[in-house]
Each structure stands twice: as C-alpha cells, then as structure tokens.
C-alpha cells in the first residue's frame, strides 16, 4: 500500500507540475517534511475489522494490493476485461455513453469504435466510458434470457446475441461487502452504484465528492491511474474543474455548464500544484488540527483504491485503463447517507429497510442504527467493527 501525503511536498512537486506517474513516485521518496505521512506499503489484505479501524473510522484513503488477484476478470482469458477482450465479449453495436458535445448532448459509441478512438485520438481530454448500467443491466437481461432459454444450453460463448454477465467476473472484496446497506433497498429503488470505466490515457474524472456521501472502491483491471484526494472540509470553491469549452460557450443560451466536458488534463497539469498550496494555506489558517488533508497515490493494474465518504477526489489516467467501481454505505457513513437523500420517499424506504435489518440482527454488533420516527433522526448506536462477512 502506498499512500503519499502531498501536502508536505508542495515545494517538491510544484517545480515539476506533478505531471506523471514518475513525479508521484519521486514525491514518495523525497518527502521528508514533518507534515508528510507515508503509509507503509501493505500487500497483505486487512481483515474487515482492521480495515474498519484503520481506514473507515479515521476516514483515510487506501490503496490495496492482492484483493482482486483471484477474480475471473483478472485470471481468465475468456472472461478478461481488457478492451480487446470486452470488444470480443460485448455485442459490436452495443452503445456506450462516452461524453458530451459542445451542446451538452450525450455522445455514444460502440466499444469497437471507441477502441479505435482510444488508439488514435490526440484530444487534450479524451472521452471515456463511465457506464453505470452495463453490469446490472446485463445481469437482469441475462436472467431474463436465461428464463427464456431454459431448455437450451446457455452460455454466452454459445449465444453471442446475449451480452455477457460482467458481474460474474469479479467478487466484491470482504472488506467492502460486510456492510452494504444500500443493497437492502429493492433493486429498482437502489441509486446507481456500479460503474464500468474504460478510459484512454490522458482522460480522467474531475474533482468531486461521491453521491449521497457514499464511500467507494475502485478496482483497476488494466492500466494505471493517478489519484488525488482532498479532505472533506476543503472549501468547495477550491474544488472545481474548469469546463473545457467554457470560453466557447460564453453568451450561448440554453447551455447547462454542468453538462460540459471538464478540462481534467488542464486541472492535473496546470492547476493542481496551486490548488494544493491554496488548500494547505486554508487548513493552516483554520486554527484547527486537521492532520493530513491531501493524499495522492498511483494505482496500478490489480490494485484497489478506497475512497472514504465525502473525500474529494480526482483521477487521471496515465495509461489506457479499465476499472470497475462501486459506491457503498456502511455503518460509518449511514447517517450521512440518510442526511444526503433528497428524495423523502427513498429516505423513508431506506429507514424502513434499516429497521427491518435491526429486527433480524442476531448479534448486538449487527444493530447499526437506531431508527426512531424519521430517517433524519437516525442515530448510530454501535461502533463495534463489523463481523467478518460470510465466506
Ligand atoms: O475515473 C475513475 O476511475 C474513477 C472516478 C471515480 O471514482 C469517481 O468519479 O467517483
């Protein structure tokens, strides 16, 4: 595990404008100031209890090796997730949303076309697949097809008209799955939580907090990604990415700036060093002891990043990358998740699901929340670590 505190290495990284993987690695070795923390590498996966104590409770980003080594997506040629393997496995005309144009309209492409684009584009901020539906949709689609084809041998290898069930190619690691409270919601009411990411080199995800104060894990099936994390109390105005086309849309009516493509490349290469300094100055002058307020790491193939609830984060794809990511709610962030549910019906339903779970709890430590009258009055009652997930 390698987590680098960049707050203390601004002087080192400013000069090189933090452009590449090499820079991030250099920062690890040259950072010696008192405010720098380098979490020692650990390739032994922690137990759920240790993960809870060392990462979730202190709200600390993490980078884990060896949690996905056994996944079929990593070990099986037939079930691999390289872009080439996905191209072979998916229907050639299956459209993926890959971004939006100058009008804010969605741009879609089948994966084989997208692969050509990946290899040949020279864009400053290339399009990328960030698909919240494919894993789940394929799952239900396959279930239906499975019902219809009950009498026939059914395997996607033999039935190319049906998309493969990608959810069978990975297993949610135990440290993230023992508490997954949003899974208590009926499937059709659960907010999107699972994304396939197919991202060319130079593309990225702008700085943001995850929806509903969920935590997340992100598993890299191939490629290399650079991550930066900022403390949840960082002022929002320091955590913005300029829209790529902002200069071109000045004065244009009917354009929602939120729909515009962000200049993630520019943020990482031209702004990040200054942003780090501003964030550092903000926390230095806050009069409070915050500890580490900015982390950075380089995620390689086969490694999983943990993003704690409410931490700002941004991702830059150093190489062509394929990743799967899931957001989740555990006992640590369940109150925050409830507070962030704007839809009152959903919040009530979630409160009911948690109540039902409490009723069925067999051990005191499984009772995570005390639900009184309304979900907004949820109160955590158990701070004990989760029990190990069933094998
Ligand atoms: O780009 C990625 O790989 C992940 C980005 C991400 O986790 C997010 O946008 O929340």
């Amino acid at each position: 595990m390698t987590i680098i505190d960049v707050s203390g290495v601004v002087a080192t990284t400013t000069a090189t404008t933090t452009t590449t993987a090499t820079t991030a690695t250099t920062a690890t070795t040259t950072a010696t100031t008192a405010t720098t923390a380098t979490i020692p590498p650990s390739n032994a996966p922690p137990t759920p209890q240790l993960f809870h104590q060392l990462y979730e409770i202190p709200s600390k980003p993490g980078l884990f090796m060896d949690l996905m080594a056994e996944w079929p997506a990593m070990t099986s040629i037939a079930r691999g997730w390289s872009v080439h393997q996905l191209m072979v496995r998916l229907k050639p005309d299956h459209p993926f949303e890959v971004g939006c144009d100058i009008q804010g309209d969605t741009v879609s492409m089948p994966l084989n076309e997208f692969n050509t684009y990946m290899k040949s584009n020279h864009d400053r901020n290339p399009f990328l697949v960030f698909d919240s539906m494919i894993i789940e949709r394929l799952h239900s689609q396959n279930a239906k097809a499975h019902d219809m084809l009950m009498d026939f041998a059914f395997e996607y290898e033999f039935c190319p008209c049906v998309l493969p069930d990608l959810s069978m190619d990975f297993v949610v690691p135990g440290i993230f799955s023992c508490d997954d409270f949003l899974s208590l919601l009926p499937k059709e009411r659960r907010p999107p939580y699972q994304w396939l990411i197919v991202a060319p080199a130079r593309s990225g995800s702008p700085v943001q907090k995850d929806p509903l104060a969920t935590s997340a894990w992100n598993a890299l099936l191939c490629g290399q990604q650079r991550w930066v994390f900022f403390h949840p109390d960082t002022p929002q105005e320091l955590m913005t990415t300029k829209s790529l086309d902002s200069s071109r849309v000045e004065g244009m009516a009917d354009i929602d700036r939120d729909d515009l493509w962000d200049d993630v490349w520019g943020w990482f290469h031209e702004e990040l060093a200054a942003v780090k300094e501003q964030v550092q100055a903000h926390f230095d002058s806050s009069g409070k002891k915050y500890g580490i307020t900015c982390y950075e790491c380089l995620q390689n193939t086969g490694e999983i990043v943990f993003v704690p609830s409410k931490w700002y984060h941004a991702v830059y794809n150093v190489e062509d990358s394929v990743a799967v990511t899931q957001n989740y709610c555990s006992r640590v962030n369940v109150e925050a998740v409830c507070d962030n549910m704007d839809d009152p019906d959903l919040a009530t339903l979630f409160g009911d699901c948690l109540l039902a779970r409490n009723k069925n709890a067999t051990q005191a430590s499984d009772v995570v929340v005390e639900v009184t009258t309304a979900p907004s009055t949820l109160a955590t009652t158990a701070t004990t670590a989760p029990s190990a997930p069933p094998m």
Side-chain angles (χ1 to χ4, degrees), residues 15-81:
T16 48
T17 334
T18 59
T19 43
T20 61
T22 326
T23 314
T25 314
T26 310
T28 333
T29 50
T30 56
T32 50
T33 60
T35 48
T36 300
T38 303
I39 300 171
S42 153
N43 51 16
T47 61
Q49 290 85 348
L50 260 186
F51 172 71
H52 187 64
Q53 280 159 19
L54 298 180
Y55 295 92
E56 283 204 295
I57 291 180
S59 185
K60 192 165 153 183
L63 175 65
F64 301 100
M65 297 166 201
D66 287 341
L67 287 178
M68 49 192 287
E70 308 296 323
W71 286 7
M74 299 295 288
T75 57
S76 157
I77 292 181
R79 292 164 69 182
W81 283 35

Side-chain angles (χ1 to χ4, degrees), residues 265-300:
W265 189 95
W267 189 81
F268 268 93
H269 293 87
E270 295 163 357
E271 292 181 48
L272 179 56
V275 169
K276 285 177 193 165
E277 283 178 359
Q278 288 162 357
V279 170
Q280 181 77 45
H282 166 80
F283 284 113
D284 285 351
S285 65
S286 72
K288 281 198 206 164
K289 279 214 156 151
Y290 270 98
I292 298 160
T293 53
C294 176
Y295 289 93
E296 192 164 3
C297 72
L298 198 62
Q299 178 191 27
N300 288 302

Side-chain angles (χ1 to χ4, degrees), residues 285-339:
S285 65
S286 72
K288 281 198 206 164
K289 279 214 156 151
Y290 270 98
I292 298 160
T293 53
C294 176
Y295 289 93
E296 192 164 3
C297 72
L298 198 62
Q299 178 191 27
N300 288 302
T301 300
E303 295 176 354
I304 296 187
V305 161
F306 166 62
V307 185
S309 166
K310 298 193 210 166
W311 274 74
Y312 288 100
H313 55 280
V315 180
Y316 177 73
N317 292 288
V318 182
E319 297 172 0
D320 290 354
S321 299
V322 177
V324 60
T325 182
Q326 273 193 204
N327 288 42
Y328 71 99
C329 165
S330 74
R331 66 194 65 205
V332 166
N333 59 338
V334 65
E335 269 186 278
V337 169
C338 291
D339 287 348

Side-chain angles (χ1 to χ4, degrees), residues 7-190:
S7 56
V9 294
V10 169
T12 319
T13 53
T14 307
T16 48
T17 334
T18 59
T19 43
T20 61
T22 326
T23 314
T25 314
T26 310
T28 333
T29 50
T30 56
T32 50
T33 60
T35 48
T36 300
T38 303
I39 300 171
S42 153
N43 51 16
T47 61
Q49 290 85 348
L50 260 186
F51 172 71
H52 187 64
Q53 280 159 19
L54 298 180
Y55 295 92
E56 283 204 295
I57 291 180
S59 185
K60 192 165 153 183
L63 175 65
F64 301 100
M65 297 166 201
D66 287 341
L67 287 178
M68 49 192 287
E70 308 296 323
W71 286 7
M74 299 295 288
T75 57
S76 157
I77 292 181
R79 292 164 69 182
W81 283 35
S82 71
V83 181
H84 273 281
Q85 286 163 307
L86 288 175
M87 271 193 325
V88 172
R89 298 176 65 194
L90 299 175
K91 285 195 324 188
D93 57 351
H94 180 81
F96 283 98
E97 283 184 17
V98 296
C100 49
D101 62 16
I102 177 79
Q103 302 295 332
D105 293 333
T106 301
V107 176
S108 296
M109 261 186 227
L111 204 55
N112 49 0
E113 261 178 47
F114 187 67
N115 181 52
T116 309
Y117 167 80
M118 268 180 109
K119 302 286 167 241
S120 58
N121 87 85
H122 297 285
D123 295 348
R124 175 176 163 112
N125 289 276
F127 287 138
L128 73 167
V129 171
F130 210 114
D131 192 303
S132 73
M133 295 296 287
I134 183 120
I135 300 166
E136 268 208 287
R137 185 174 51 216
L138 298 188
H139 196 51
S140 45
Q141 190 179 346
N142 274 359
K144 257 189 234 144
H146 207 296
D147 289 348
M148 285 161 50
L149 295 172
M150 245 175 354
D151 296 331
F152 298 89
F154 176 81
E155 274 298 329
Y156 55 80
E157 286 96 330
F158 304 126
C159 189
C161 58
V162 178
L163 293 163
D165 185 349
L166 299 184
S167 70
M168 306 296 278
D169 299 334
F170 65 91
V171 180
V172 180
I175 57 172
F176 307 118
S177 64
C178 36
D179 283 345
D180 183 10
F181 297 139
L182 288 168
S183 69
L184 299 170
L185 283 165
K187 210 170 160 57
E188 65 285 1
R189 296 302 311 277
R190 183 175 187 173

Side-chain angles (χ1 to χ4, degrees), residues 355-376:
L355 261 181
R357 183 185 184 279
N358 283 357
K359 262 199 202 149
N360 295 332
T362 50
Q363 311 173 29
S365 63
D366 286 342
V367 178
V368 173
V369 288
E370 189 176 86
V371 184
T372 50
T373 49
S376 58

